[in-house]
Amino acid sequence: ESTVCVRTVYTWEEVQKHSQRGDQWVVIERKVYNVSNWVKRHPGGHRVITHYAGEDASDAFMAFHPDQTFVRKFLKPLLVGELAPSEPSQDHKKNAALVNDFRALRDQFKAEGLFRTSPLFFCLHLGHILLLEALPLALMSFLSFLIQSQAGWLQHDFGHLSVFKRSRWDHLLHKFVIGHLKGASAHWWNHRHFQHHAKPNVFKKDPDINMLNILVLGNVQPVEYGIKKLKHLPYNHQHQYFFLIGPPLLIPVYFNIHIFQTMIQQRDWVDFAWYLSYYIRYLSCFVPFYGVFGSFALLMCVRFIESHWFVWVTQMNHLSMDVDYEKHDDWLSMQLKATCNIEQSFFNDWFSGHLNFQIEHHLFPMMPRHNYIHAAPRVKELCKKYGIHYEVKGLWEAWCDIIRQIQSQGRDSPGS
């Protein structure tokens, strides 16, 4: 347990001093918690908490924890005080009215049952995946990439704890779908994906925009590279080589290597067992028909096609939006700057796993995806009230914007 300080009232200036590694405080609903030692044991990973060190984490806390009564048991021994009565509830001069209206909207959604799941929806979704998996082997080579992509959207639902009332069932089904049906790691996905949700499109905090010097993004990074005279690749051609190293290689090369490396380094033998179960099942089904080499060739082909699907769907909502360093925006403004929606249609819903409602998903990550369509109009109204741009694009327009954006950013890079 933390040692409770004699002084129990703090100003924001005092709280913000505790934002370094090994000395990290967060504020949740005006209460101040010392999470310096807890971050290493946090089930969602230490980086998600670290990103909010010295800040108000109230909305992030509400967004990611379904059973808050249970979680507060762990917070209680970490309590070191509260904000002084003279201090505002929001830090960094955030718009208090906007924050309060957003929280009121979230409470309305809860009261109206938009966070209550429809078990039938997800049972039918899992059922159609298992049905596709069980189709005659002659069709498997054609359908495998469909199965992998749709299973990817379903594991995303379980990973966000948006299916069951008891999160342990979400965790179990998440391991089954991502491990046994996809050959990946739930632990790896959680620690990577929650960082993206906590700070989308924020340099050094969102791993999804860590391009390993392959691409330059946003308006700031190209200028920064120019000042430092950094030119690892011909960035003025990045909109062209993106087609060669982005969609084709993300899943079959980068993700596969990173997943395996993470499981071994973390000694995550539970996820490793689920991971192996996928390959045992896959090889036992295909080797008798295609041989070992043919089976692995088919698998790489499926991963190659799935990777294209995954990259275009996940990046159409983010890559053409604002990419910058930390600006300490409120939850609503931060998510809207980094996110746009894609027009609703039956095909777009199915094709993207309802991530065409990316705005609602980012604001309410635990909301079941079949309810996004009901939440969207009122989120749009709230944005209009505060002059926050709520962007909706067509599917083809969004894909073209990805290329237009990285081409523009490449032109501003060094050596262009």
Side-chain angles (χ1 to χ4, degrees):
E1 292 187 358
S2 304
T3 301
V4 179
C5 301
V6 174
R7 188 181 181 197
T8 59
V9 176
Y10 301 93
T11 64
W12 276 116
E13 183 179 0
E14 291 171 312
V15 171
Q16 288 163 3
K17 291 177 182 177
H18 300 273
S19 61
Q20 305 301 318
R21 185 174 182 178
D23 179 23
Q24 297 170 341
W25 291 10
V26 297
V27 175
I28 299 173
E29 296 177 332
R30 296 189 64 83
K31 295 188 182 297
V32 182
Y33 299 92
N34 182 350
V35 297
S36 305
N37 296 322
W38 167 250
V39 292
K40 296 178 182 178
R41 296 182 289 136
H42 182 233
H46 69 280
R47 291 186 179 178
V48 174
I49 295 184
T50 298
H51 293 337
Y52 278 89
E55 296 183 24
D56 176 31
S58 302
D59 287 317
F61 175 81
M62 296 289 289
F64 294 132
H65 298 96
D67 189 350
Q68 289 161 24
T69 302
F70 175 76
V71 175
R72 289 180 194 279
K73 295 178 182 178
F74 295 91
L75 284 177
K76 191 173 181 180
L78 308 178
L79 181 66
V80 295
E82 59 185 26
L83 292 175
S86 60
E87 290 292 303
S89 296
Q90 290 77 38
D91 57 341
H92 296 287
K93 299 181 180 180
K94 293 172 183 170
N95 187 329
L98 185 155
V99 172
N100 290 334
D101 277 4
F102 169 73
R103 292 174 181 174
L105 180 62
R106 179 176 59 210
D107 291 340
Q108 289 176 20
F109 287 159
K110 284 185 177 179
E112 294 171 18
L114 293 187
F115 286 89
R116 287 199 298 270
T117 191
S118 166
L120 178 62
F121 176 89
F122 293 102
C123 286
L124 290 175
H125 198 83
L126 177 59
H128 103 280
I129 292 171
L130 294 176
L131 177 63
L132 291 172
E133 187 82 317
L135 284 175
L137 289 174
L139 295 175
M140 277 193 175
S141 58
F142 173 73
L143 294 174
S144 286
F145 79 94
L146 291 176
I147 296 167
Q148 287 299 301
S149 295
Q150 286 299 316
W153 308 143
L154 185 60
Q155 69 82 22
H156 180 261
D157 297 311
F158 291 125
H160 275 295
L161 313 181
S162 64
V163 180
F164 294 100
K165 291 182 180 179
R166 294 177 178 268
S167 59
R168 63 186 178 188
W169 289 108
D170 285 292
H171 289 304
L172 178 62
L173 268 295
H174 188 214
K175 287 185 181 294
F176 170 73
V177 176
I178 197 173
H180 185 68
L181 296 185
K182 289 192 61 62
S185 163
H187 181 83
W188 167 84
W189 184 90
N190 285 339
H191 283 244
R192 180 184 178 91
H193 193 65
F194 289 155
Q195 289 184 73
H196 162 68
H197 268 270
K199 294 287 183 176
N201 282 11
V202 176
F203 286 125
K204 298 184 178 180
K205 294 187 176 183
D206 181 359
D208 285 6
I209 59 167
N210 178 11
M211 296 298 171
L212 303 175
N213 296 317
I214 295 173
L215 303 175
V216 290
L217 302 177
N219 297 321
V220 174
Q221 196 175 54
V223 176
E224 188 178 72
Y225 273 43
I227 294 172
K228 296 179 180 178
K229 301 188 184 305
L230 300 175
K231 189 178 182 185
H232 303 279
L233 287 169
Y235 297 122
N236 52 316
H237 295 292
Q238 66 178 12
H239 62 290
Q240 296 168 325
Y241 64 71
F242 171 78
F243 288 95
L244 301 177
I245 62 178
L249 302 182
L250 183 66
I251 289 179
V253 177
Y254 178 69
F255 275 7
N256 271 345
I257 293 173
H258 197 212
I259 289 168
F260 186 80
Q261 182 184 45
T262 300
M263 288 189 296
I264 298 302
Q265 288 179 346
Q266 299 292 328
R267 297 184 179 181
D268 191 349
W269 307 128
V270 173
D271 274 14
F272 191 65
W274 282 108
Y275 171 86
L276 286 179
S277 75
Y278 166 80
Y279 285 96
I280 292 170
R281 176 178 57 84
Y282 175 84
L283 293 174
S284 64
C285 287
F286 285 96
V287 168
F289 297 92
Y290 299 109
V292 174
F293 177 81
S295 297
F296 276 106
L298 174 61
L299 178 61
M300 292 306 294
C301 180
V302 169
R303 296 291 193 219
F304 175 83
I305 299 172
E306 178 197 4
S307 189
H308 281 80
W309 191 338
F310 175 82
V311 169
W312 289 107
V313 167
T314 57
Q315 295 309 309
M316 66 187 181
N317 306 101
H318 292 301
L319 207 56
S320 62
M321 303 301 287
D322 186 59
V323 182
D324 207 339
Y325 287 97
E326 176 67 79
K327 296 298 183 184
H328 301 290
D329 292 311
D330 61 84
W331 182 260
L332 179 69
S333 300
M334 176 180 66
Q335 302 294 350
L336 268 291
K337 278 184 179 180
T339 311
C340 69
N341 277 3
I342 307 301
E343 293 172 348
Q344 192 275 330
S345 70
F346 177 82
F347 174 79
N348 286 352
D349 291 351
W350 175 84
F351 183 75
S352 69
H354 289 84
L355 293 182
N356 49 327
F357 289 99
Q358 191 75 250
I359 291 173
E360 288 67 35
H361 171 58
H362 263 255
L363 290 175
F364 311 104
M366 292 190 299
M367 181 181 286
R369 58 169 150 135
H370 52 73
N371 286 332
Y372 294 157
I373 193 171
H374 305 299
R378 278 178 284 175
V379 172
K380 192 172 183 178
E381 286 177 14
L382 181 61
C383 291
K384 184 178 180 181
K385 177 179 179 180
Y386 288 96
I388 297 173
H389 184 50
Y390 182 105
E391 187 159 4
V392 181
K393 301 179 180 181
L395 185 64
W396 180 252
E397 176 192 4
W399 288 345
C400 291
D401 279 351
I402 294 174
I403 304 306
R404 282 193 286 261
Q405 189 79 343
I406 59 177
Q407 181 179 19
S408 172
Q409 292 154 359
R411 280 199 299 261
D412 297 333
S413 65
S416 300

